[in-house]
Amino acid sequence: MDHVADAHRTDLMTITRHVLNEQSKHPESKGDFTILLSHIVLGCKFLCSAVNKAGLAKLIGLAGETNVQGEEQKKLDVLSNEVFVKALMSSGRTCILVSEEEEEATFVDPSLRGKYCVVFDPLDGSSNIDCGVGVGTIFGVYMAKDKDNVSLEDVLQSGKNMLAAGYCMYGSSCTLVLSTGNGVNGFTLDPSIGEFILTHPNIKIPKKGKIYSINEGNAKNWDTPTAKFVEKCKFPKDGSSPKSLRYVGSMVADVHRTLLYGGIFLYPADKKSPNGKLRVLYEVFPMSFLMEQAGGQAFTGKQQALDMVPTNIHQRSPVFLGSYDDVEEIKALYDAEEMIPT
Ligand code: AFP
């Protein structure tokens, strides 16, 4: 028996151990973020289990349907929202919550209030759930200026002010990708011990990729830079090979692949949706934060994505994110378009 190797295998870097290590680099820290994160992790574990059981437990039906016992069935995205809101509030470390599922922001009761604002999409890609395709939770964390006197301004901040961002993908494995502003790390849930283990330390996106990811069904309505970019992906004029197209239609899955393999994910504005489809606070910002932290970039067609300052909590924006060089190409096409006199 190789006891040395066994000892190594059991010296696991769990997500809590990782965050506590990071915390020890800031002696002034009181551990509030570690507590918040442990509640986010709890929400993710709960959802991982719920998503895995969705078919069996009939969690995928319409909200409001009843089961044979006459109990009301909760649709998975409704359940996901409830799980996250409760997990975040009970942490005692949050003051404002913005969820994709709720029209208004939630201001946490003063007795449970902490200094963090959390923006999240509890179950992104939920239209994919019925066929078992990977879905996920996306989240971003801001710090309130004054937790006893909070307002929407605390979440309507530039993406550059985010303290942390991440996503958890409920796919063939359950993977949580996190950045606290010091690189990006990926953790995989080991269901046998119920812990997220560091499996992808210090993720760096390849500088240039071979994959592009876009909903080609919208091509009829694309603007010129997007159409030119996709044309170049398919018919490169510089002698390079055409890029491959991959599109799941679940942002977490498409971005996760882009982060690990390189390439570009595009959700542009088009004639039908002049602001694109994806939401700034809990889709575009967290994913852009992760991309930049991994050495990639995120662009809106006008500016670096994290430079936006949203004016409403459910605002949408076009986004192009991924490998540094690929995003440079789309930026050049938008720059060229601006030079053309109208
Ligand atoms: P759903 O949550 O309604 O499935 O939307 C998923 C999503 O917001 C994002 O995860 C995908 O990247 C994007 O929409 C896909 O949109 P299209 O179906 O228009 O390509």
PDB file of all heavy atoms in Angstrom, residues 6 11 64 94 96-97 126 170 172 174 199 225 232 239 257 277 297 315:
ATOM      1  N   ASP A   6      -1.694   7.875  -0.392  1.00  0.00           N
ATOM      2  CA  ASP A   6      -3.004   7.925   0.266  1.00  0.00           C
ATOM      3  C   ASP A   6      -3.140   9.192   1.099  1.00  0.00           C
ATOM      4  O   ASP A   6      -4.177   9.853   1.077  1.00  0.00           O
ATOM      5  CB  ASP A   6      -3.211   6.714   1.186  1.00  0.00           C
ATOM      6  CG  ASP A   6      -3.734   5.532   0.396  1.00  0.00           C
ATOM      7  OD1 ASP A   6      -4.095   5.758  -0.778  1.00  0.00           O
ATOM      8  OD2 ASP A   6      -3.764   4.422   0.948  1.00  0.00           O
ATOM      9  N   ASP A  11      -5.520  14.705   1.738  1.00  0.00           N
ATOM     10  CA  ASP A  11      -5.251  16.090   2.150  1.00  0.00           C
ATOM     11  C   ASP A  11      -6.008  17.009   1.194  1.00  0.00           C
ATOM     12  O   ASP A  11      -5.435  17.655   0.332  1.00  0.00           O
ATOM     13  CB  ASP A  11      -3.738  16.356   2.092  1.00  0.00           C
ATOM     14  CG  ASP A  11      -3.415  17.729   2.650  1.00  0.00           C
ATOM     15  OD1 ASP A  11      -4.253  18.279   3.387  1.00  0.00           O
ATOM     16  OD2 ASP A  11      -2.342  18.251   2.315  1.00  0.00           O
ATOM     17  N   GLY A  64     -47.547  25.655  -9.487  1.00  0.00           N
ATOM     18  CA  GLY A  64     -48.987  25.682  -9.265  1.00  0.00           C
ATOM     19  C   GLY A  64     -49.643  24.335  -9.525  1.00  0.00           C
ATOM     20  O   GLY A  64     -50.770  24.101  -9.105  1.00  0.00           O
ATOM     21  N   THR A  94     -26.121  39.425   4.718  1.00  0.00           N
ATOM     22  CA  THR A  94     -26.582  40.116   3.514  1.00  0.00           C
ATOM     23  C   THR A  94     -27.532  41.261   3.867  1.00  0.00           C
ATOM     24  O   THR A  94     -28.177  41.232   4.919  1.00  0.00           O
ATOM     25  CB  THR A  94     -27.314  39.137   2.559  1.00  0.00           C
ATOM     26  OG1 THR A  94     -28.416  38.544   3.245  1.00  0.00           O
ATOM     27  CG2 THR A  94     -26.393  38.046   2.061  1.00  0.00           C
ATOM     28  N   ILE A  96     -29.017  43.310   0.793  1.00  0.00           N
ATOM     29  CA  ILE A  96     -29.908  43.404  -0.377  1.00  0.00           C
ATOM     30  C   ILE A  96     -29.698  42.167  -1.240  1.00  0.00           C
ATOM     31  O   ILE A  96     -28.545  41.762  -1.476  1.00  0.00           O
ATOM     32  CB  ILE A  96     -29.588  44.635  -1.259  1.00  0.00           C
ATOM     33  CG1 ILE A  96     -29.553  45.903  -0.429  1.00  0.00           C
ATOM     34  CG2 ILE A  96     -30.598  44.773  -2.393  1.00  0.00           C
ATOM     35  CD1 ILE A  96     -29.309  47.143  -1.278  1.00  0.00           C
ATOM     36  N   LEU A  97     -30.807  41.612  -1.724  1.00  0.00           N
ATOM     37  CA  LEU A  97     -30.727  40.473  -2.639  1.00  0.00           C
ATOM     38  C   LEU A  97     -31.442  40.850  -3.924  1.00  0.00           C
ATOM     39  O   LEU A  97     -32.558  41.376  -3.879  1.00  0.00           O
ATOM     40  CB  LEU A  97     -31.419  39.242  -2.041  1.00  0.00           C
ATOM     41  CG  LEU A  97     -31.012  38.824  -0.631  1.00  0.00           C
ATOM     42  CD1 LEU A  97     -31.831  37.624  -0.172  1.00  0.00           C
ATOM     43  CD2 LEU A  97     -29.520  38.487  -0.591  1.00  0.00           C
ATOM     44  N   SER A 126     -32.980  27.433 -17.236  1.00  0.00           N
ATOM     45  CA  SER A 126     -34.012  26.506 -16.751  1.00  0.00           C
ATOM     46  C   SER A 126     -34.889  25.947 -17.864  1.00  0.00           C
ATOM     47  O   SER A 126     -35.497  24.893 -17.687  1.00  0.00           O
ATOM     48  CB  SER A 126     -34.861  27.163 -15.661  1.00  0.00           C
ATOM     49  OG  SER A 126     -35.307  28.419 -16.096  1.00  0.00           O
ATOM     50  N   TYR A 170     -24.732  22.584 -12.639  1.00  0.00           N
ATOM     51  CA  TYR A 170     -25.312  21.283 -12.316  1.00  0.00           C
ATOM     52  C   TYR A 170     -25.346  20.479 -13.610  1.00  0.00           C
ATOM     53  O   TYR A 170     -26.306  20.550 -14.383  1.00  0.00           O
ATOM     54  CB  TYR A 170     -26.719  21.461 -11.722  1.00  0.00           C
ATOM     55  CG  TYR A 170     -26.747  22.561 -10.659  1.00  0.00           C
ATOM     56  CD1 TYR A 170     -27.451  23.750 -10.875  1.00  0.00           C
ATOM     57  CD2 TYR A 170     -26.030  22.422  -9.467  1.00  0.00           C
ATOM     58  CE1 TYR A 170     -27.459  24.761  -9.921  1.00  0.00           C
ATOM     59  CE2 TYR A 170     -26.025  23.435  -8.514  1.00  0.00           C
ATOM     60  CZ  TYR A 170     -26.742  24.597  -8.744  1.00  0.00           C
ATOM     61  OH  TYR A 170     -26.733  25.602  -7.810  1.00  0.00           O
ATOM     62  N   SER A 172     -22.884  17.063 -15.711  1.00  0.00           N
ATOM     63  CA  SER A 172     -22.491  15.664 -15.487  1.00  0.00           C
ATOM     64  C   SER A 172     -21.738  15.563 -14.161  1.00  0.00           C
ATOM     65  O   SER A 172     -21.698  14.523 -13.521  1.00  0.00           O
ATOM     66  CB  SER A 172     -21.642  15.152 -16.650  1.00  0.00           C
ATOM     67  OG  SER A 172     -20.578  16.049 -16.877  1.00  0.00           O
ATOM     68  N   CYS A 174     -20.983  18.392 -10.587  1.00  0.00           N
ATOM     69  CA  CYS A 174     -21.407  19.678 -10.039  1.00  0.00           C
ATOM     70  C   CYS A 174     -20.138  20.487  -9.753  1.00  0.00           C
ATOM     71  O   CYS A 174     -19.323  20.091  -8.915  1.00  0.00           O
ATOM     72  CB  CYS A 174     -22.215  19.419  -8.774  1.00  0.00           C
ATOM     73  SG  CYS A 174     -22.749  20.935  -7.979  1.00  0.00           S
ATOM     74  N   THR A 199     -10.434  21.341  -7.777  1.00  0.00           N
ATOM     75  CA  THR A 199     -10.004  20.464  -8.878  1.00  0.00           C
ATOM     76  C   THR A 199      -9.405  21.268 -10.025  1.00  0.00           C
ATOM     77  O   THR A 199      -8.707  20.730 -10.873  1.00  0.00           O
ATOM     78  CB  THR A 199     -11.204  19.658  -9.431  1.00  0.00           C
ATOM     79  OG1 THR A 199     -12.312  20.564  -9.601  1.00  0.00           O
ATOM     80  CG2 THR A 199     -11.596  18.533  -8.506  1.00  0.00           C
ATOM     81  N   PRO A 225     -21.083  43.911 -37.289  1.00  0.00           N
ATOM     82  CA  PRO A 225     -19.875  43.336 -36.684  1.00  0.00           C
ATOM     83  C   PRO A 225     -20.052  41.879 -36.265  1.00  0.00           C
ATOM     84  O   PRO A 225     -19.157  41.049 -36.468  1.00  0.00           O
ATOM     85  CB  PRO A 225     -19.624  44.233 -35.466  1.00  0.00           C
ATOM     86  CG  PRO A 225     -20.294  45.526 -35.786  1.00  0.00           C
ATOM     87  CD  PRO A 225     -21.493  45.162 -36.611  1.00  0.00           C
ATOM     88  N   LYS A 232     -16.009  35.250 -40.323  1.00  0.00           N
ATOM     89  CA  LYS A 232     -14.563  34.989 -40.186  1.00  0.00           C
ATOM     90  C   LYS A 232     -14.295  33.678 -39.462  1.00  0.00           C
ATOM     91  O   LYS A 232     -13.318  32.985 -39.746  1.00  0.00           O
ATOM     92  CB  LYS A 232     -13.904  36.118 -39.374  1.00  0.00           C
ATOM     93  CG  LYS A 232     -13.460  37.300 -40.224  1.00  0.00           C
ATOM     94  CD  LYS A 232     -12.867  38.398 -39.374  1.00  0.00           C
ATOM     95  CE  LYS A 232     -11.420  38.155 -39.012  1.00  0.00           C
ATOM     96  NZ  LYS A 232     -10.857  39.257 -38.192  1.00  0.00           N
ATOM     97  N   GLY A 239      -5.701  31.822 -43.614  1.00  0.00           N
ATOM     98  CA  GLY A 239      -5.129  30.475 -43.756  1.00  0.00           C
ATOM     99  C   GLY A 239      -5.346  29.602 -42.527  1.00  0.00           C
ATOM    100  O   GLY A 239      -4.999  28.416 -42.535  1.00  0.00           O
ATOM    101  N   ARG A 257     -17.414  26.001 -20.625  1.00  0.00           N
ATOM    102  CA  ARG A 257     -16.587  25.425 -21.696  1.00  0.00           C
ATOM    103  C   ARG A 257     -15.618  26.475 -22.239  1.00  0.00           C
ATOM    104  O   ARG A 257     -14.437  26.202 -22.470  1.00  0.00           O
ATOM    105  CB  ARG A 257     -17.505  24.902 -22.818  1.00  0.00           C
ATOM    106  CG  ARG A 257     -16.750  24.237 -23.947  1.00  0.00           C
ATOM    107  CD  ARG A 257     -17.593  24.143 -25.203  1.00  0.00           C
ATOM    108  NE  ARG A 257     -18.076  25.448 -25.600  1.00  0.00           N
ATOM    109  CZ  ARG A 257     -19.354  25.833 -25.528  1.00  0.00           C
ATOM    110  NH1 ARG A 257     -20.279  25.001 -25.134  1.00  0.00           N
ATOM    111  NH2 ARG A 257     -19.695  27.060 -25.873  1.00  0.00           N
ATOM    112  N   LYS A 277     -30.075  39.896 -24.751  1.00  0.00           N
ATOM    113  CA  LYS A 277     -31.027  39.161 -23.895  1.00  0.00           C
ATOM    114  C   LYS A 277     -30.547  39.072 -22.453  1.00  0.00           C
ATOM    115  O   LYS A 277     -31.353  39.051 -21.524  1.00  0.00           O
ATOM    116  CB  LYS A 277     -31.188  37.739 -24.453  1.00  0.00           C
ATOM    117  CG  LYS A 277     -32.021  36.864 -23.556  1.00  0.00           C
ATOM    118  CD  LYS A 277     -32.168  35.438 -24.066  1.00  0.00           C
ATOM    119  CE  LYS A 277     -33.071  34.652 -23.130  1.00  0.00           C
ATOM    120  NZ  LYS A 277     -33.099  33.235 -23.437  1.00  0.00           N
ATOM    121  N   GLN A 297     -11.411  38.567 -21.634  1.00  0.00           N
ATOM    122  CA  GLN A 297     -12.059  39.869 -21.614  1.00  0.00           C
ATOM    123  C   GLN A 297     -13.560  39.706 -21.857  1.00  0.00           C
ATOM    124  O   GLN A 297     -14.019  38.684 -22.360  1.00  0.00           O
ATOM    125  CB  GLN A 297     -11.624  40.803 -22.725  1.00  0.00           C
ATOM    126  CG  GLN A 297     -10.280  40.803 -23.265  1.00  0.00           C
ATOM    127  CD  GLN A 297     -10.103  42.012 -24.197  1.00  0.00           C
ATOM    128  OE1 GLN A 297     -10.508  43.145 -23.921  1.00  0.00           O
ATOM    129  NE2 GLN A 297      -9.488  41.755 -25.320  1.00  0.00           N
ATOM    130  N   GLN A 315     -31.707  45.168 -15.935  1.00  0.00           N
ATOM    131  CA  GLN A 315     -31.216  45.681 -17.229  1.00  0.00           C
ATOM    132  C   GLN A 315     -30.512  44.575 -18.034  1.00  0.00           C
ATOM    133  O   GLN A 315     -29.888  43.690 -17.474  1.00  0.00           O
ATOM    134  CB  GLN A 315     -30.216  46.807 -16.928  1.00  0.00           C
ATOM    135  CG  GLN A 315     -29.807  47.606 -18.141  1.00  0.00           C
ATOM    136  CD  GLN A 315     -29.066  48.866 -17.694  1.00  0.00           C
ATOM    137  OE1 GLN A 315     -29.493  49.561 -16.774  1.00  0.00           O
ATOM    138  NE2 GLN A 315     -27.947  49.148 -18.334  1.00  0.00           N
TER     139      GLN A 315
END
